[in-house]
């Protein structure tokens, strides 16, 4: 059995003064300090990053991390678009499953704001299918198609979507590491400019810089002396075609459903036992679909449910995106999946401060690549 | 314990008529057919690729593979520059080490010849350090520095290097899947134009398209009924700074030495028991350094040893690069590490045809990222 014993993240945002390398360095030594460990106690590193190759012709970062730490341990780079962090965590848990005593550091980092929005948007589109790229579809466009379909099929409107951002910006206002720490009103969201109809600026997660890191171990001695512990009950990955035109349905992310069913089976718990979840709200519609595909809400009722704001901090038995989600906490792609799991860790060990969910025993993180080509569902317990 | 039960590769070369997707499709269904398996029997896929992001803005290929196979299984993309294939194989063996019954497909693919040599060379330089890129150093330049240092320190000349290519082109002439199937004379090699002094065109591996795939399993039933079997005795990964200026020595790839020492310890065999090896000869000097760093030859004697051609097929107890190596068989980056392990598999199961090493019981594959930032050493037995 593997345990998370430490989490660290940089502030997410427009970090003009920091390079990818400096972000990586900060979280490696930050997470080690947090755990009172030395780099010599780390047996391997998993690194999640999507775009350093495309944006800054920077690949083979494993060797660059070797230089930073001055060690020759195995270092693995994993890429699965926006699910890179979740997939890196998943492979790290697999790496620990041979039960030889090991401690692994998992980090994600992304440097996205040094480029024009056009360059970054085009680079993000690398995760879409060739046909979609050729047709000029960007990710706001792809999620816009899903949003239109959902609103029409279940008779909702843009106001229903706005409540996702309203809630997540409120949570972000409680998170000092969040990219955006301002509350927004539903009115303001509805008046913000369209990015891809019906999605507006305030339905969309931002382009952010940032990094996050976790330490996972199966070393019983280390587990015993760790102050903070969260058990990895399940980490499951599923894939699907990225091509929306080939999907059976536009109002379901099948990969999420498959990964969630497997994860709950593996963890041996029920949906209703989850008190806190970090979901992949790259766009407002994505959180609504995720709540349904994960099995928290029935298909089609999400538009209504979100307006009740039951998933807002302190409102009911399940709080969703207490970090602020991708929407408010920011979305430095490779770091996102790690930060989500880190937030659940903080909630379970009671260190989420102002945004603490009371008595959280079980938490879930949900990380998606592109428009749903990869989904990772992680369940932690304390 | 994991076993390789099947290998398939496309021809390596300038495959103008094939896309990355078509190469991937060919090897997935090729390797399944070779093993008489159906895609439903595969539990996960590991995919090695370096440059699709940089060259064709194509990332998140896991989801594109999901579309090709029509399944939602976990698919993982791994990148470690030219060591991507070896690292993907390593992670696949780790994935199997939890001992739940599983069968995994590992593939590597690269599409490199659709671009100008300048574009491809610049993209390959992504694996170098930022400082090296800024200084205008390409990989021929970096290996040229190592070659100059080695020749000067141990009093050899360009002729010593030429024997690597002479041998590997001879082996390539026996391999119908090789990019180059022509023999070359030492004279011709020495007269070929310089790429980066003292390295010439015929000291250098080519830019190739191609793909390769393996199936690995720990399923006892499947192992029992497989016609062809090679046991994975060890797969070890080590890293190092990519920055030549920070290395202690220019005539040693430290990551290779560390990974080799660990792999031989793990496999529990001696160097002299290896009868066949596929080494990472991206440039002639690289094979000489590898023979020394792997412990087959003493440091500094490689220049003399290679001229004796003892590692040529049929000459002595150890044959090196029977496939033709990267030099003649070609170097479609992500596919290379998989092809190397595949060649050892073919040798151990007695299916290497004209280039068969007699009575091979133990074989080694050695895969390097960039100028030595990652090294993977895999030992197989039959």
């Amino acid at each position: 059995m593997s345990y998370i014993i430490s989490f660290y993240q940089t502030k997410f945002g427009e970090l003009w003064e920091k390079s990818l390398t400096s972000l990586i360095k900060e979280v490696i030594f930050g997470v080690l300090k947090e755990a009172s460990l030395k780099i010599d106690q780390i047996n391997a590193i998993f690194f999640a990053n999507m775009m350093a190759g495309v944006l800054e012709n920077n690949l083979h970062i494993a060797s660059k991390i070797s230089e930073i730490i001055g060690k020759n341990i195995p270092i693995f780079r994993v890429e699965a678009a926006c699910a890179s962090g979740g997939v890196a965590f998943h492979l790290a848990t697999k790496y620990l499953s041979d039960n030889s005593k090991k401690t692994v550091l998992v980090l994600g980092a992304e440097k996205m704001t040094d480029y024009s929005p056009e360059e970054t948007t085009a680079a993000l589109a690398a995760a879409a299918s060739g046909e979609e790229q050729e047709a000029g579809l960007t990710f706001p466009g792809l999620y816009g198609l899903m949003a239109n379909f959902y609103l029409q099929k279940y008779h909702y409107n843009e106001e229903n979507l706005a409540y996702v951002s309203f809630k997540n910006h409120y949570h972000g206002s409680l998170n000092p590491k969040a990219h955006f720490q301002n509350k927004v009103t539903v009115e303001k969201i509805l008046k913000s400019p369209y990015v891809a109809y019906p999605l507006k600026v305030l339905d969309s997660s931002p382009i952010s810089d940032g990094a996050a890191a976790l330490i996972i171990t199966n070393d019983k001695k280390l587990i015993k002396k760790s102050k903070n512990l969260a058990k990895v009950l399940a980490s499951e990955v599923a894939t699907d075609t990225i091509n929306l035109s080939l999907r059976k349905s536009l109002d379901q992310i099948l990969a999420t459903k498959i990964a969630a069913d497997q994860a709950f089976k593996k963890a041996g718990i029920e949906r209703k036992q989850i008190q806190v979840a970090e979901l992949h709200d790259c766009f407002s519609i994505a959180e609504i679909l995720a709540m349904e595909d994960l099995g928290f809400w029935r298909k089609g009722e999400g538009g209504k449910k979100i307006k009740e704001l039951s998933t807002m901090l302190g409102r009911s038995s399940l709080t969703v995106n207490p970090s602020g989600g991708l929407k408010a906490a920011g979305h430095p792609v490779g770091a996102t999946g790690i930060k989500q799991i880190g937030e659940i860790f903080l909630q379970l060990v009671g260190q989420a401060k102002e945004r603490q969910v009371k008595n959280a025993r079980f938490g879930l993180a949900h990380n998606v690549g592109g428009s749903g080509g990869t989904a990772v569902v992680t369940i932690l317990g304390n």
Side-chain angles (χ1 to χ4, degrees), chain A:
Chain A
M1 182 60 78
S2 298
Y3 287 81
I4 301 175
I5 58 170
S6 174
F7 170 62
Y8 181 90
Q9 71 163 99
T10 67
K11 188 185 174 315
F12 285 3
E14 298 194 16
L15 311 176
W16 303 105
E17 74 290 5
K18 291 189 180 170
S19 66
L20 184 63
T21 306
S22 68
L23 290 169
I24 290 171
K25 200 169 174 175
E26 179 180 342
V27 293
I28 289 178
F29 292 104
V31 79
L32 285 169
K33 194 178 171 195
E34 198 65 35
S36 304
L37 289 180
K38 300 234 174 304
I39 187 68
D40 298 300
Q41 292 171 274
I42 300 297
N43 302 106
I45 293 177
F46 284 78
F47 172 61
N49 171 269
M50 178 186 179
M51 303 209 291
V54 177
L55 287 176
E56 52 187 51
N57 206 43
N58 186 0
L59 291 172
H60 197 201
I61 303 182
S63 65
K64 292 152 195 174
I65 293 176
S66 171
E67 183 178 315
I68 289 172
I69 61 175
K71 298 286 160 197
N72 303 96
I73 57 174
I75 304 171
F76 306 103
R77 183 218 161 184
V78 175
E79 179 268 319
C82 306
S84 298
V87 169
F89 179 83
H90 174 83
L91 285 175
T93 63
K94 290 287 174 186
Y95 196 79
L96 290 174
S97 67
D98 69 352
N99 290 320
S100 64
K101 198 182 71 174
K102 282 199 219 78
T103 302
V104 171
L105 194 155
V106 194
L107 76 139
E110 210 81 46
K111 183 68 200 161
M112 301 173 74
T113 68
D114 286 354
Y115 309 90
S116 72
E118 290 75 18
E119 284 173 299
T120 309
T121 308
L124 283 163
S129 73
E131 296 84 347
E132 288 165 339
Q133 282 189 56
E134 277 173 35
L137 273 159
T138 58
F139 277 97
L142 290 161
Y143 275 94
L145 289 173
M146 289 190 264
N148 273 317
F149 185 86
Y150 184 87
L151 296 186
Q152 197 170 1
K153 181 168 175 183
Y154 299 107
H155 310 292
Y156 296 122
N157 59 43
E158 296 169 41
E159 193 189 342
N160 299 79
L161 300 177
Y163 281 84
V164 174
S165 301
F166 171 77
K167 168 180 69 70
N168 291 348
H169 265 269
Y170 168 70
H171 291 160
S173 75
L174 307 173
N175 180 1
K177 299 287 180 81
H179 188 153
F180 299 126
Q181 298 169 32
N182 61 319
K183 297 175 203 164
V184 290
T185 61
V186 168
E187 291 68 36
K188 190 175 171 184
I189 295 165
L190 289 171
K191 279 186 187 156
S192 68
Y194 284 109
V195 175
Y197 183 84
L199 301 175
K200 292 168 286 294
V201 167
L202 286 172
D203 287 293
S204 311
S205 57
I207 286 169
S208 314
D209 304 323
L214 293 161
I215 293 176
I216 326 174
T217 189
N218 61 11
D219 178 343
K220 281 175 190 151
K221 268 194 194 164
L222 199 51
I223 293 165
K224 210 169 174 181
K225 71 176 187 188
S226 289
K227 289 191 310 261
N228 300 312
L229 277 179
K231 200 185 285 190
V232 183
L233 298 174
S235 165
E236 298 295 321
V237 173
T239 58
D240 196 9
T241 173
I242 195 66
N243 219 323
L244 284 196
S245 68
L246 298 175
R247 303 251 181 101
K248 282 189 192 125
S249 166
L250 280 184
D251 63 336
Q252 185 193 50
I253 302 291
L254 180 61
T256 293
K257 186 179 166 7
I258 294 171
D261 287 346
Q262 289 172 350
F264 277 102
K265 192 176 166 194
K266 183 88 170 279
I269 65 166
E270 305 287 325
R271 262 73 173 174
K272 63 181 181 210
Q273 290 178 268
I274 300 286
Q275 290 119 339
V276 56
E278 284 280 311
L279 308 190
H280 200 92
D281 60 323
C282 47
F283 298 95
S284 52
I285 182 66
E287 180 171 317
I288 292 174
L289 294 180
M291 286 298 287
E292 297 176 354
D293 296 334
L294 290 164
F296 292 120
W297 291 342
R298 281 197 304 276
K299 185 52 70 188
E301 72 174 11
K304 179 167 62 80
K305 283 278 191 184
I306 190 69
K307 279 186 81 168
E308 297 167 5
L309 288 172
S310 69
T311 55
M312 197 146 142
L313 189 65
R315 294 292 188 96
S316 74
S317 57
L318 171 62
T319 302
V320 172
N321 280 326
S323 75
L326 281 60
K327 175 66 202 83
H331 184 25
V333 173
T336 287
I338 307 294
K339 181 225 75 177
Q340 293 178 317
I341 296 169
E343 176 70 17
I344 299 300
F345 170 78
L346 293 179
Q347 294 285 350
L348 295 185
V349 301
Q351 298 198 343
K353 299 184 179 164
E354 282 191 74
R355 60 190 194 281
Q356 181 67 47
V357 174
K358 278 186 194 147
N359 307 314
R361 279 205 58 212
F362 296 105
L364 177 148
H366 163 252
N367 191 200
V368 172
S371 55
T374 300
V376 191
V377 174
T378 305
I379 299 177
L380 306 181
N382 74 356

